[in-house]
Amino acid sequence: MAPRGDGLLSHDLLPGEKGPQDACGVFGVWAPGEEVAKLAYFGLYALQHRGQESAGIATSNGEQLLVYKDMGLVSQVFDETALNALTGYLAIGHTRYSTTGASTWENAQPTLGATAGGTIALAHNGNLTNTGELVDLVAERYGAQRRGELARGNTTDTALVTALLAGDPDHTLEMTAREVLPRLRGAFSLVFMDERTLYAARDPQGVRPLVLGRLERGWVVASETSALDIVGASFVREVEPGELICIDADGLRSERFAPVDRAGCVFEYVYLARPDTSIAGRSVHSSRVEMGRQLAREFPVEADIVIPVPESGTPAAVGYAAESGIRFAQGLTKNAYVGRTFIQPSQTLRQLGIRLKLNPLREVIRGQRIVVVDDSIVRGNTQRALIRMLREAGAAEVHVRISSPPVKWPCFYGIDFASRAELIATGLSPAEVGASLGADSLGYISLEGMVAATEQPVAQLCTACFTGTYPIELPPSARLGKHLIEQNELPLGAPEDGLHTLVATTGGASALEQP
């Protein structure tokens, strides 16, 4: 069997050095006459940066729903044969990084469930905060029968939502969604479907992005506008916080299930989203360039060149250079073809891990006073190794500038940071962090400067990872955590004797079929 994704971001620089891991990417399309599986494939390809552990696509031809999913990158999971087998006129897709539940095939998405009138497939970006409450609700509703994905070993909050949306014989999926969605807390951008209808829903805070696009013969929903671009869809608008959208043969209809209480994730602007995406009408690239300009205003320094940590630090470095008048240079070369290696390096090579992906241009760096611009510092090990490498290449001075404030608090809404004890900024002042890294100076952008660069009101942003102020109320710590469902015995009994049967193949495909 071919090697599968190892769950590391493609721009992780040190083995075992965990940066801020992305949420997930979701995509949905309703387009009769189009090859919807291929549209979903390329949509997920554009969203690969949001999750690299597993990928999956579900399609329907109006009568039968099929899903194909497996561990690994989008390009590893799918080939022409798999995509040609996924026929139909509507599809959803998902690319995953695990924020709840382990990185296993059972937890890959889309998830499946049997409804009264057919089948539901669901994909989720975000992280729910009332998972414990939902476990109790599933047990209350279905008693001794463990339904669908939960019966097959799925330990994610997404499986709980799928079980709840499966509903009962007296309700359609749409009716059930109206009842279930207001009971969810936390971050959720959902795309889901039955045999004939595509649905999209977003939490009342709009923590994670979700957008609506138009095709000549249909509609698209996706995590980012860049996924619309790749499939030739025109941007229509955001899916509004607290909105449920339904798309079928009768067209598009929309309703509110909760009032808007906007708190979009500011870290999407800093790091998570692609630079060619727009969020809430603001270009992510322009935001990052402005963050760099603001950094130069807040933390000027006499230097010879400004270099980015590729690729995430590049727009901010461009802004810093433009504002300061210091020459921009490419001082680090990135090996674009080393997304992952499945060969374990020797201990000697492991100590040089950063050089696997970045190598200094010595003729650019030697004798220069350098400003190095990066998007964030989590543990600090990557920056420490990078500074050491630049000094070995002959840098006269190394000044580090960071286009976000110190990360001091964990995220419970879909980003998997290191634990608070591992965050270098938790116990040290900026000056102490700089000394620990071996930098000549260190400057973090101010919270006010970062927010201003997004052109969004601070009251409409979530800044919890920087401030510790969480816009969505959190449950007690005993009911929080990535492995909550795995660590706690579900108050559910044996698997149900359902109306539908799961058929799985070794290739990662599965279908829900009437027996």
Side-chain angles (χ1 to χ4, degrees):
M1 183 176 176
R4 294 302 183 189
D6 55 11
L8 297 175
L9 281 175
S10 57
H11 41 272
D12 277 349
L13 299 178
L14 290 173
E17 170 69 355
K18 188 166 129 183
Q21 304 290 317
D22 295 12
C24 299
V26 297
F27 186 88
V29 55
W30 190 94
E34 299 284 356
E35 293 182 276
V36 291
K38 289 190 176 178
L39 290 176
Y41 171 85
F42 286 109
L44 295 181
Y45 200 80
L47 299 171
Q48 184 72 85
H49 61 290
R50 298 188 71 86
Q52 299 85 32
E53 293 184 5
S54 63
I57 294 173
T59 62
S60 174
N61 59 10
E63 301 295 329
Q64 184 189 52
L65 192 151
L66 300 169
V67 63
Y68 190 103
K69 60 186 179 180
D70 212 340
M71 305 301 292
L73 303 176
V74 175
S75 59
Q76 292 174 314
V77 171
F78 296 101
D79 56 21
E80 288 277 358
T81 302
L83 292 172
N84 289 337
L86 292 170
T87 58
Y89 62 87
L90 71 154
I92 66 170
H94 187 266
T95 182
R96 180 173 192 252
Y97 175 80
S98 58
T99 53
T100 298
S103 178
T104 63
W105 188 89
E106 289 78 12
N107 288 342
Q109 298 182 33
T111 52
L112 290 168
T115 68
T119 313
I120 176 177
L122 182 143
H124 173 205
N125 171 210
N127 196 57
L128 301 180
T129 56
N130 66 332
T131 299
E133 180 184 316
L134 298 178
V135 167
D136 296 339
L137 183 58
V138 170
E140 175 188 319
R141 289 198 172 181
Y142 306 122
Q145 291 194 326
R146 189 179 294 193
R147 299 172 64 91
E149 295 278 346
L150 295 169
R152 294 187 285 273
N154 192 313
T155 57
T156 66
D157 52 0
T158 310
L160 294 169
V161 176
T162 307
L164 291 169
L165 284 173
D168 59 59
D170 298 325
H171 289 78
T172 65
L173 178 55
E174 191 169 332
M175 291 168 64
T176 306
R178 291 189 194 117
E179 189 271 327
V180 170
L181 291 173
R183 304 194 68 160
L184 306 181
R185 299 286 179 269
F188 58 92
S189 288
L190 304 175
V191 294
F192 55 106
M193 61 185 278
D194 57 19
E195 279 77 2
R196 295 177 180 82
T197 307
L198 174 67
Y199 301 90
R202 196 173 176 206
D203 64 80
Q205 287 74 29
V207 176
R208 300 276 149 242
L210 193 64
V211 294
L212 174 69
R214 193 76 165 100
L215 290 168
E216 186 177 343
R217 292 190 283 185
W219 298 88
V220 174
V221 288
S223 291
E224 297 186 28
T225 59
S226 54
L228 303 182
D229 298 336
I230 201 172
V231 299
S234 57
F235 172 76
V236 176
R237 63 176 177 84
E238 283 193 342
V239 176
E240 288 295 311
E243 182 183 21
L244 170 65
I245 286 176
C246 312
I247 301 168
D248 58 18
D250 296 325
L252 181 146
R253 58 192 179 277
S254 164
E255 62 185 90
R256 290 225 170 259
F257 63 85
V260 177
D261 184 21
R262 194 179 287 273
C265 172
V266 73
F267 212 73
E268 293 278 357
Y269 293 95
V270 172
Y271 169 79
L272 293 182
R274 278 174 49 150
D276 54 343
T277 280
S278 293
I279 302 175
R282 173 62 164 160
S283 158
V284 170
H285 174 78
S286 298
S287 295
R288 291 174 185 171
V289 172
E290 179 56 31
M291 287 173 197
R293 286 184 173 275
Q294 183 62 21
L295 255 179
R297 292 189 284 266
E298 292 182 8
F299 291 97
V301 66
E302 289 192 13
D304 302 306
I305 57 173
V306 176
I307 69 170
V309 176
E311 302 290 335
S312 58
T314 300
V318 168
Y320 193 101
E323 183 69 22
S324 66
I326 301 170
R327 181 169 60 90
F328 177 88
Q330 292 288 356
L332 296 164
T333 298
K334 183 177 181 181
N335 183 349
Y337 298 97
V338 182
R340 281 169 182 70
T341 175
F342 297 97
I343 306 301
Q344 288 297 316
S346 67
Q347 181 58 33
T348 303
L349 290 173
R350 192 175 291 116
Q351 292 169 350
L352 298 173
I354 196 168
R355 294 180 186 268
L356 182 67
K357 296 181 183 180
L358 288 180
N359 211 29
L361 288 165
R362 296 174 189 277
E363 64 276 18
V364 174
I365 290 166
R366 188 178 298 114
Q368 300 294 296
R369 298 170 298 172
I370 298 172
V371 177
V372 185
V373 181
D374 205 353
D375 62 273
S376 59
I377 299 177
V378 180
R379 284 191 179 94
N381 295 334
T382 295
Q383 286 82 6
R384 191 174 293 112
L386 184 61
I387 291 167
R388 187 185 312 120
M389 187 171 71
L390 291 171
R391 293 202 187 281
E392 289 171 356
E397 297 175 12
V398 181
H399 302 275
V400 176
R401 297 293 180 266
I402 303 298
S403 59
S404 63
V407 176
K408 294 185 176 182
W409 300 88
C411 174
F412 298 104
Y413 308 136
I415 309 173
D416 192 18
F417 284 115
S419 69
R420 187 153 196 256
E422 296 171 298
L423 295 172
I424 191 171
T426 299
L428 300 176
S429 68
E432 290 170 331
V433 172
S436 170
L437 300 180
D440 289 287
S441 72
L442 168 65
Y444 292 97
I445 193 172
S446 65
L447 180 71
E448 296 75 17
M450 174 189 65
V451 169
T454 71
E455 296 186 350
Q456 310 301 313
V458 68
Q460 296 184 11
L461 290 171
C462 175
T463 59
C465 56
F466 306 118
T467 63
T469 302
Y470 294 92
I472 306 169
E473 186 179 356
L474 300 176
S477 57
R479 292 209 130 190
L480 277 172
K482 178 173 176 177
H483 301 289
L484 181 69
I485 301 176
E486 291 150 322
Q487 291 167 349
N488 293 274
E489 185 66 27
L490 280 173
L492 302 171
E496 63 176 339
D497 295 322
L499 298 174
H500 298 68
T501 305
L502 184 79
V503 182
T505 74
T506 54
S510 57
L512 276 169
E513 301 174 332
Q514 297 284 359

